[in-house]
């Protein structure tokens, strides 16, 4: 019934269009045929006149003779010629044949003969009127009027109309039939494909991939949406068995059975710096470190990173290794030394001036320099060599972290073909058009496809990556399995939303009560005890939306002056990539904006914006999270964002409001936050006002739900899911290898 209605929706306009076409075409056809025939009849008339000229000339010289009359009588015996009349040069009708209408005078015939469609209606139907000069060797001697039968034109026109209508109707019928059949088949194929997908078979039937490529984008969207729903569903089921270090360790034992785990990341988890004569250990402000370290601690492995601290070289052994965390010695940190040139080209240049803005699409132009690219490639090769040197077997599990190492997976694969390489891309992946501006897009994609598993935070980023490969490489893509086959290797592309380590009971027990945290923070900032504060915690980066956030604070104070003197915004910004021009000028702009807003709304003892551009240790950060009324995360684009999860984890009092950008990957999981578009200052200012006036019960409800999500979807789950997939992959590879080993025995 539904398909019939669908087809009618198509067929009715088609039939109406055909009727309209016939309605317009038939009279047009009529007029055209009439003109063509008129032209033919005129030619024929001239010919007849020429043939008769001599006889007429003779007849005129013998006015009494009846020869001319009998000539006329003979001529009109032709079935097409129905009348003939002879006019003198001064317009007098001299002779006429029988059937020539009496009412037709020479003057009238001359006028009609000059028209486009020269015809009159006589007894027996329409007749064509031709008016022709009769000449002898001295020039015109008379005028001849020829009336030719036109009724045959009418008959032919009726025939043409009939055939035209039959043709249009026939064509219309055939088109309609073909359309209905094709639509019916496509519709059935599509419905059964979608049903298969909904049943969980994960397949849009072969029709989708080969016969109907035009439906592929829709299928991809449907697939992505279904996977999102799957995630949402799993989340809505409530906590499954909690993921924690023990469970991860058990998983590593069962799935990877003591296989070696190597992490490659640019950033080291611990930096040894020289301060005076002392060596101090620092933990960098990095989402990546926060996320990956718990994993290595759980299964003691090796972390290979760039040794960037001023005392790093002093604490390593002869193989550039040091055990960390200091004092606990749970895993090995292998340091790699980069020259200033290398760091400038590979890290600051290609990774941070090229790939970072390329992937974030935050209105900062990526810069691509040939020399940076050369360094990027060379440094990736050095890290690949280090992985090979650290590998104790030919098939270690290697976790490659982030956009600094796009080429590394293929380089490792070349030396260790049996390694399981898991690459995690911590930042967004743009659409194919945006990525297409990178001059080395092909090399980057080929490098990444050396991975066994390639992870992104969201399905959306996976989809963008697969579409990019589809656009720029000759690779085989199996959408239903989210797998890309390139040369002889396959890469499984999957989303693994990263998270934080949920604070242990011990950690929570060490926290000061929330009231105490508030008191400490407010006292440190010189603010009265009942002052309200919102916080922002970020690396000092243009993608984090710090500028937009301060604009929103300014707008709040404009719209709601009652907050002036009652509310302040505290921004903690860890210095980051400060040697890059773009970052320097961004940081200057933030300082200038802060100064302007403070000047505009500040007064003695009150400053609306507190900008603290310093690194804080974890205890200080958590104290701030616990002290805040609201936390603003307004990234313009963010792979995930861990600050919002840390804020939620810190609020065991279930108070405080999270304001979260819709462009952060975290927004997909944390829908109970106040979701904003950071580009819309008004909306963010309103959300800020709402957060400061939100009733306690609502805060509690939202925060409890957010806490449940972050607690369950913690970093161990992130790692666990990736490692489970890696374990499955390895098992399959091993079984295949075994089968291949036994195959010769079977054949002999
Ligand atoms: P980042 O861009 O570094 O991470 P984010 O996820 O917010 O962003 O992590 C920042 C980390 O640095 C947090 O753990 C935070 O506590 C810490 N931090 C921020 N400011 C600090 C300060 N002033 N002092 C001390 N610590 C500070 C990248 C991607 C993200 C992705 C992560 C993890 O850009 O989208 O979530 O990797 O994959």
């Amino acid at each position: 019934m539904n398909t019939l209605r669908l087809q009618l929706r198509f067929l009715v306009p088609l039939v109406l269009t055909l009727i309209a076409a016939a309605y317009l075409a038939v009279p047009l056809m009529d007029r055209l045929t009439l003109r063509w025939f008129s032209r033919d009849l005129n030619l024929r008339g001239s010919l007849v006149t020429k043939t008769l000229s001599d006889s007429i000339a003779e007849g005129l010289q013998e006015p009494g003779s009846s020869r001319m009359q009998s000539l006329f009588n003979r001529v009109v015996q032709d079935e097409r010629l129905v009348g003939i009349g002879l006019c003198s040069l001064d317009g007098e009708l001299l002779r006429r044949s029988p059937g020539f209408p009496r009412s037709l005078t020479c003057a009238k015939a001359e006028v009609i003969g000059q028209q486009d469609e020269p015809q009159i209606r006589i007894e027996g139907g329409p007749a064509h009127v031709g008016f022709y000069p009769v000449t002898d060797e001295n020039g015109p001697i008379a005028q001849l009027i020829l009336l030719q039968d036109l009724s045959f034109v009418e008959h032919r026109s009726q025939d043409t109309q009939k055939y035209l209508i039959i043709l249009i109707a026939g064509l219309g019928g055939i088109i309609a039939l073909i359309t209905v059949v094709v639509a019916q088949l496509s519709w059935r194929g599509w419905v059964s494909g979608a049903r298969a997908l909904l049943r969980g078979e994960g397949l849009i039937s072969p029709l989708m991939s080969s016969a109907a490529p035009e439906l592929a984008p829709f299928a991809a969207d449907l697939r992505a949406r279904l996977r999102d729903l799957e995630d949402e569903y799993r989340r809505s089921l409530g906590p499954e068995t909690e993921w924690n270090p023990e469970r991860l360790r058990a998983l590593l034992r069962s799935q990877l059975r003591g296989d070696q785990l190597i992490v490659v990341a640019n950033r080291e988890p611990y930096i040894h710096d020289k301060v005076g004569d002392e060596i101090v250990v620092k933990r960098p402000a990095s989402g990546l470190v926060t996320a990956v370290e718990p994993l290595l601690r759980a299964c003691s492995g090796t972390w290979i990173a760039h040794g960037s601290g001023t005392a790093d070289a002093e604490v390593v052994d002869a193989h550039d290794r040091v055990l960390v965390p200091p004092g606990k010695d749970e895993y090995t940190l292998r340091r790699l030394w980069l020259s200033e040139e290398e760091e400038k080209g590979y890290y600051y240049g290609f990774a941070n001036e090229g790939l970072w803005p390329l992937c974030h699409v935050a209105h900062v132009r990526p810069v691509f320099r040939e020399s940076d690219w050369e360094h990027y490639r060379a440094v990736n090769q050095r890290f690949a060599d280090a992985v090979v040197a650290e590998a104790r077997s030919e098939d270690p599990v290697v976790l490659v972290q982030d956009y600094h190492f796009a080429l590394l997976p293929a380089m490792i694969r070349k030396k260790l073909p049996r390694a399981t390489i898991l690459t995690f891309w911590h930042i967004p992946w743009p659409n194919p058009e945006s990525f297409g501006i990178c001059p080395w897009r092909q090399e980057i994609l080929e490098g990444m496809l050396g991975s066994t598993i390639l992870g992104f935070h969201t399905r959306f980023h996976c989809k963008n990556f697969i579409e990019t490969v589809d656009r720029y490489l000759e690779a085989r893509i199996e959408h239903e399995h989210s797998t890309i086959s390139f040369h002889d290797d396959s890469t499984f592309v999957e989303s693994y939303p990263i998270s934080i380590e949920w604070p242990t009971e011990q950690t929570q027990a060490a926290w000061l009560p929330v009231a105490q945290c508030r008191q400490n923070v407010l006292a440190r900032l010189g603010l009265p005890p009942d002052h309200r504060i919102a916080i922002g915690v970020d690396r000092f980066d243009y993608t984090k939306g710090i500028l937009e956030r301060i604009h929103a604070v300014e707008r709040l104070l404009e719209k709601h002056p009652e907050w002036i003197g009652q509310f302040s915004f505290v921004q903690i910004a860890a210095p980051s990539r400060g040697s890059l021009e773009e970052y320097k000028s961004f940081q200057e702009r933030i300082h200038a904006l802060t100064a302007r807003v403070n000047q505009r709304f500040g007064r003695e003892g009150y400053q609306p914006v507190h900008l603290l551009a310093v690194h804080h240790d974890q205890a200080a950060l958590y104290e701030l999270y616990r002290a805040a009324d609201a936390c603003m995360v307004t990234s313009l684009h963010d792979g995930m964002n861990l600050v919002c999860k840390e804020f939620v984890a810190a609020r065991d009092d279930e108070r405080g409001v999270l304001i979260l950008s819709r462009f952060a990957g975290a927004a997909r999981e944390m829908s109970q936050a106040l979701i904003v578009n950071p580009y819309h200052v008004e909306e963010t200012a309103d959300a800020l006002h709402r957060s400061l006036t939100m009733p306690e019960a609502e805060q509690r409800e939202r925060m409890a739900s957010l806490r449940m999500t972050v607690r369950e979807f913690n970093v161990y789950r992130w790692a666990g899911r990736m490692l489970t997939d890696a374990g499955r992959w390895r098992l399959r590879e091993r079984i295949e290898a075994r089968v291949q080993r036994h195959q010769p025995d079977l054949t002999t």
Side-chain angles (χ1 to χ4, degrees):
M1 191 63 199
N2 277 344
T3 51
L4 185 70
R5 213 176 298 151
L6 202 72
Q7 285 160 9
L8 275 181
R9 226 183 284 163
F10 175 79
L11 288 179
V12 170
L14 178 74
V15 169
L16 290 179
T17 312
L18 288 175
I19 292 173
Y23 186 75
L24 292 174
V26 167
L28 194 76
M29 221 30 216
D30 262 2
R31 295 194 65 184
L32 270 177
T33 27
L34 190 65
R35 281 214 186 141
W36 290 335
F37 280 120
S38 286
R39 221 174 294 150
D40 287 350
L41 291 175
N42 270 336
L43 287 174
R44 188 166 178 256
S46 301
L47 203 68
V48 171
T49 309
K50 267 193 200 120
T51 317
L52 296 179
S53 292
D54 290 346
S55 311
I56 292 173
E58 280 169 25
L60 283 175
Q61 277 165 15
E62 302 165 29
S65 152
S66 61
R67 271 175 59 198
M68 188 134 51
Q69 190 61 48
S70 51
L71 175 71
F72 280 15
N73 294 351
R74 253 185 291 123
V75 170
V76 291
Q77 277 168 8
D78 180 306
E79 70 174 289
R80 293 274 173 83
L81 205 58
V82 291
I84 181 165
L86 184 68
C87 301
S88 66
L89 284 176
D90 46 11
E92 187 193 343
L93 186 65
L94 301 175
R95 270 197 211 288
R96 60 186 181 82
S97 68
F100 189 93
R102 283 180 189 283
S103 56
L104 186 63
T105 61
C106 293
K108 210 165 155 187
E110 187 175 3
V111 172
I112 297 173
Q114 281 162 3
Q115 289 172 357
D116 278 349
E117 289 161 22
Q119 56 170 300
I120 56 167
R121 193 152 274 278
I122 56 170
E123 212 177 302
H128 172 268
V129 181
F131 195 79
Y132 311 98
V134 182
T135 51
D136 66 3
E137 59 273 13
N138 300 322
I141 50 170
Q143 313 272 12
L144 198 64
I145 304 169
L146 296 179
L147 300 182
Q148 300 186 65
D149 182 19
L150 265 183
S151 58
F152 78 98
V153 177
E154 246 175 27
H155 295 143
R156 283 192 188 172
S157 165
Q158 275 164 8
D159 281 353
T160 320
Q161 278 181 22
K162 198 167 76 194
Y163 292 126
L164 193 69
I165 287 170
I166 291 173
L167 182 76
I168 290 179
L171 261 180
I174 291 168
I175 293 174
L177 192 72
I178 292 174
T179 315
V180 166
V181 170
V182 172
Q184 188 75 24
L185 287 178
S186 308
W187 174 253
R188 275 197 200 155
W190 175 238
V191 167
S192 64
R195 275 194 185 143
L197 195 68
L198 289 168
R199 277 198 303 272
E201 289 166 23
L203 281 173
I204 292 285
S205 70
L207 182 79
M208 290 309 305
S209 47
S210 52
E214 68 280 4
L215 293 179
F218 177 49
D221 281 349
L222 182 63
R223 233 178 267 123
R225 184 66 198 126
L226 283 174
R227 286 189 173 168
D228 278 349
L229 285 175
E230 218 174 270
D231 284 351
E232 264 170 41
Y233 172 68
R234 253 190 265 129
R235 232 174 278 137
S236 71
L237 284 181
E240 48 172 56
T241 336
E242 194 177 315
W243 274 97
N244 52 30
E246 286 69 49
R247 185 166 170 202
L248 190 60
R249 234 174 266 137
L251 176 108
L252 287 167
R253 270 197 304 273
S254 64
Q255 300 276 333
L256 302 175
R257 283 184 305 234
D259 291 330
Q260 190 192 4
L261 191 68
I262 302 173
V263 169
V264 188
N266 174 69
R267 184 75 61 105
E268 44 182 358
Y270 294 93
I271 303 173
H272 290 86
D273 267 337
K274 197 128 203 187
V275 180
D277 284 343
E278 272 187 39
I279 292 178
V280 294
V281 185
K282 257 185 25 194
R283 244 178 82 94
S286 147
L288 187 153
V289 172
T290 315
V292 179
E293 206 207 11
L295 166 64
L296 264 192
R297 291 222 320 254
C299 60
S300 53
T302 304
W303 182 309
I304 305 177
H306 166 216
S308 58
T310 47
D312 273 357
E314 288 181 34
V315 296
V316 294
D317 66 11
H319 302 286
D320 298 325
R321 296 181 189 136
V322 57
L323 288 173
V324 286
K328 292 192 180 148
D329 298 355
E330 288 173 328
Y331 64 96
T332 307
L333 171 59
R334 157 81 198 270
R335 285 175 169 148
L336 211 115
W337 316 110
L338 298 181
S339 68
E340 212 173 293
E341 276 260 282
E342 282 176 322
E343 194 183 356
K344 195 163 162 253
Y346 137 83
Y347 178 73
Y348 288 107
F350 194 73
N352 285 319
E353 286 191 288
L355 288 179
W356 178 268
L358 179 74
C359 290
H360 279 88
V361 199
H363 316 293
V364 168
R365 281 170 79 110
V367 179
F368 296 113
R369 299 182 198 92
E370 190 77 34
S371 56
D372 289 348
W373 168 247
E374 290 307 329
H375 281 304
Y376 186 83
R377 206 161 39 187
V379 171
N380 269 245
Q381 189 58 58
R382 289 193 53 204
F383 273 89
D385 296 343
V387 170
V388 176
E390 291 295 325
R392 291 193 301 266
S393 67
E394 55 177 9
D395 62 347
V397 178
V398 187
L399 262 70
V400 177
Q401 299 300 317
D402 230 354
Y403 62 103
H404 310 96
F405 297 115
L407 305 178
L408 192 61
M411 289 170 171
I412 300 175
R413 168 85 47 234
K414 207 167 160 195
K415 298 260 178 71
L416 297 171
R418 294 193 45 220
T420 304
I421 306 168
L422 279 81
T423 304
F424 193 78
W425 197 261
H426 289 257
I427 61 175
W429 189 272
N431 61 34
E433 290 73 30
S434 304
F435 187 75
I437 65 170
C438 176
W440 301 283
R441 60 190 186 202
Q442 207 160 325
E443 288 89 333
I444 287 174
L445 293 173
E446 287 180 15
M448 291 172 76
L449 289 179
S451 318
T452 317
I453 297 179
L454 178 57
F456 294 93
H457 291 299
T458 66
R459 305 260 185 234
F460 181 62
H461 298 151
C462 295
K463 184 170 158 269
N464 277 353
F465 179 80
I466 292 174
E467 281 172 7
T468 308
V469 171
D470 200 16
R471 180 80 59 89
Y472 301 116
L473 285 189
E474 286 291 323
R476 193 161 55 81
I477 296 172
E478 281 181 63
H479 288 283
E480 57 272 25
H481 297 123
S482 204
T483 307
I484 302 174
S485 302
F486 183 65
H487 294 156
D488 290 333
D489 296 318
S490 309
T491 303
F492 175 53
V493 182
E494 181 59 302
S495 71
Y496 303 99
I498 210 167
S499 192
I500 55 162
E501 181 180 17
W502 188 255
T504 59
E505 277 173 21
Q506 268 167 312
T507 315
Q508 294 189 39
W511 288 341
L512 291 175
V514 168
Q516 185 67 49
C517 291
R518 273 187 74 79
Q519 211 179 330
N520 291 355
V521 169
L522 292 173
R524 216 177 304 134
L525 295 171
L527 298 167
D530 58 345
H531 203 75
R532 314 292 300 277
I533 55 168
I535 56 161
V537 175
D538 308 84
R539 280 185 307 99
F540 221 144
D541 194 292
Y542 54 79
T543 61
K544 301 292 181 184
I546 304 174
L547 204 72
E548 288 68 14
R549 210 174 290 172
I550 301 176
H551 277 304
V553 170
E554 183 180 24
R555 186 73 191 115
L556 172 82
L557 300 179
E558 270 172 10
K559 275 180 99 169
H560 301 280
E562 67 272 19
W563 288 118
I564 300 174
Q566 304 296 318
F567 160 81
S568 293
F569 170 65
V570 183
Q571 175 68 50
I572 308 288
S576 182
R577 305 169 196 170
S579 63
L580 295 181
E581 207 39 61
E582 195 65 54
Y583 282 76
K584 252 190 256 167
S585 72
F586 171 71
Q587 292 171 13
E588 279 163 16
R589 279 174 70 196
I590 298 282
H591 281 288
L593 179 64
T594 305
R596 188 173 65 69
V597 175
N598 281 341
Q599 195 171 18
R600 187 169 166 205
F601 295 104
R603 58 171 86 129
E604 183 71 41
Y606 169 65
Q607 211 178 297
V609 181
H610 291 256
L611 176 60
L612 309 174
V614 279
H615 182 273
H616 283 48
D617 65 25
Q618 212 162 2
L621 271 189
Y622 272 73
E623 186 180 54
L624 196 69
Y625 287 141
R626 286 166 72 71
D629 293 291
C631 176
M632 297 183 81
V633 175
T634 53
S635 318
L636 302 181
H637 204 180
D638 219 331
M640 174 54 69
N641 191 288
L642 295 178
V643 170
C644 54
K645 298 192 172 181
E646 290 170 355
F647 172 66
V648 164
R651 299 314 296 255
D652 54 359
D653 61 336
E654 296 184 345
R655 292 282 307 278
V657 180
L658 175 64
I659 298 170
L660 179 58
S661 160
R662 65 174 66 240
F663 307 122
R668 304 211 161 216
E669 296 169 79
M670 305 180 77
S671 49
Q672 292 81 15
L674 297 184
I675 306 288
V676 295
N677 171 0
Y679 290 96
H680 192 182
V681 174
E682 201 73 17
E683 187 183 298
T684 316
D686 289 346
L688 193 50
H689 179 67
R690 190 167 164 211
S691 73
L692 295 172
T693 51
M694 188 181 283
E696 238 176 71
E698 187 182 345
Q699 288 186 34
R700 226 173 233 137
E701 208 172 302
R702 286 174 183 270
M703 188 53 86
S705 165
L706 286 169
R707 283 173 64 78
M708 211 164 81
T709 303
V710 178
R711 185 187 178 129
E712 190 199 342
F713 289 77
N714 60 33
V715 72
Y716 296 110
R717 185 180 181 278
W718 170 75
R721 278 191 56 221
M722 265 201 295
L723 291 175
T724 307
D725 287 343
R728 251 188 243 133
W729 193 280
R730 281 166 84 81
L731 189 66
R732 211 185 72 188
E733 297 266 291
R734 278 179 186 157
I735 292 172
E736 272 174 19
R738 215 170 295 156
V739 169
Q740 267 174 11
R741 262 205 312 276
H742 291 299
Q743 216 130 40
D745 305 347
L746 292 175
T747 48
T748 50

